[in-house]
Amino acid sequence: IAVNAGNNQSPITDRQSHLVSARLHFGPVLVFLASVFLTAVLRAAPLSQDEITDLVKRLEAVYQNRTSLQADFREERHMAILKDPVVNQGKIWFTPPDKIRREITGNSPSTTVIDGKKMTIYYPNLKTAEQYDLEKRPIIRQSLQALTAGLNFQRVSDYYSIEGTKEDKSYVITLTPKTASIRRLVKSLTLTMQTDLTPEKVDFQSPRGERVFISYSDVKRDPVPDSEYEFNPPAGTNVTNPFGS
C-alpha cells in the first residue's frame, strides 16, 4: 500500500511520504526473523536483563551464521483513514544481513526486493516500480539500519529499549525506540518467537496510529539462492527514483 502525499503537501513532505511508503513495505519485513507464535495464554514470567541479553546473543548467532528464512505471511494493516483493515498475503525470503524479498499476492500485488544496496518496489497492476539507492541516500540507509536492528539484533540496544516475557514455550519481546529519529518511524514492536527462535507473529505500531499484525506460517530455514534478490522490472515498466539518482 503506497502512502499518498496529497495535493496540498510541500515537496519536502512529498519526499517524506515516499520514505514512509518504502518503510510501510519494508517495516513488516524487518521484524520477520524476530516474529513468533503466540501460544495459549499462560502466566507470563518477565525476563531478567541477563535473560534478555542471553536471548539477544542467541539471535545474533543465528544471523551471524547467515541462516536464511522463508515463509508465507498474512498481514492485517489498520489505519485511521480506513474503516476496515487492509489484508495482504504473500511470501517472504530473508538472508542476513540485508537481503530481502517480499511478494504480496491478491488483487493489489507488489514485490519488494532489497539486495543490500538497492531497494525496488514493483506494482505489476500499475506497471510501475520505485527504486531507492541505499548507498547514495544516507537518510534511507540510516533509517533501514535502525529498523533492521530489530532483525539482526547486532545493534538493537543502540536503538531500542528491550523488555520481554516467557510464556510457556514462547518469548514475547517488546522493542521501544530510544531515539527521536526512530520514534518518528516506530512506536513499538512486539515480537513473539518460539524458544527455537522460529518467527510466527508480530505487532507493529506507528506514531501515526497505524497498527500492523503479521502472522507467519510454513517457516523454513532452507538456503535461499542469490537470484531471489535480483530483480529487473519487466519491459514497459515505468521506473521512478523518488529521491533522484
Side-chain angles (χ1 to χ4, degrees):
I1 304 298
V3 176
N4 294 321
N7 295 329
N8 297 323
Q9 300 287 0
S10 67
I12 294 179
T13 302
D14 233 10
R15 295 206 307 271
Q16 291 173 334
S17 75
H18 279 294
L19 182 55
V20 171
S21 174
R23 289 195 299 262
L24 287 176
H25 279 269
F26 189 69
V29 173
L30 300 175
V31 292
F32 170 58
L33 295 180
S35 312
V36 269
F37 175 67
L38 284 168
T39 57
V41 178
L42 301 174
R43 182 184 299 273
L47 296 176
S48 67
Q49 186 58 53
D50 287 344
E51 289 173 319
I52 291 175
T53 300
D54 179 67
L55 178 58
V56 170
K57 288 181 179 179
R58 288 177 58 199
L59 288 162
E60 287 177 345
V62 170
Y63 306 131
Q64 286 171 355
N65 290 335
R66 297 183 180 273
T67 304
S68 297
L69 287 182
Q70 52 186 297
D72 298 327
F73 72 88
R74 182 183 187 277
E75 174 188 289
E76 188 174 295
R77 188 186 301 273
H78 297 258
M79 293 181 284
I81 61 174
L82 297 178
K83 179 180 178 181
D84 298 318
V86 176
V87 177
N88 291 315
Q89 298 185 70
K91 192 173 183 66
I92 190 168
W93 297 258
F94 176 79
T95 298
D98 53 13
K99 293 184 177 181
I100 297 169
R101 185 184 185 102
R102 183 173 184 260
E103 296 182 352
I104 294 176
T105 58
N107 295 329
S108 300
S110 67
T111 298
T112 300
V113 178
I114 300 171
D115 63 8
K117 297 180 179 180
K118 179 178 65 178
M119 176 167 66
T120 301
I121 305 173
Y122 172 57
Y123 306 94
N125 286 357
L126 302 177
K127 296 184 179 180
T128 63
E130 296 176 0
Q131 292 188 334
Y132 300 83
D133 189 326
L134 304 182
E135 294 188 313
K136 294 182 179 180
R137 297 295 165 179
I139 184 173
I140 303 177
R141 193 169 191 83
Q142 291 167 7
S143 296
L144 297 184
Q145 284 176 346
L147 290 171
T148 50
L151 273 181
N152 60 41
F153 278 82
Q154 294 184 23
R155 297 185 62 193
V156 68
S157 60
D158 291 350
Y159 299 106
Y160 299 96
S161 297
I162 309 171
E163 295 182 349
T165 60
K166 186 176 182 181
E167 300 179 358
D168 191 24
K169 296 181 180 180
S170 295
Y171 294 113
V172 178
I173 305 298
T174 299
L175 304 180
T176 305
K178 287 182 176 180
T179 66
S181 60
I182 305 307
R183 284 195 292 269
R184 288 197 292 268
L185 313 178
V186 179
K187 181 179 180 181
S188 69
L189 291 171
T190 299
L191 319 168
T192 315
M193 64 197 76
Q194 295 174 352
T195 52
D196 67 354
L197 308 184
T198 298
E200 290 283 339
K201 290 188 178 180
V202 61
D203 178 356
F204 169 86
Q205 296 186 58
S206 81
R208 300 187 177 198
E210 296 148 342
R211 193 164 188 175
V212 181
F213 298 96
I214 307 172
S215 59
Y216 297 98
S217 60
D218 195 23
V219 180
K220 299 176 182 177
R221 288 194 170 95
D222 299 332
V224 177
D226 286 342
S227 58
E228 288 289 355
Y229 308 112
E230 298 173 359
F231 184 80
N232 293 309
T237 301
N238 178 30
V239 179
T240 64
N241 300 94
F243 291 94
S245 59

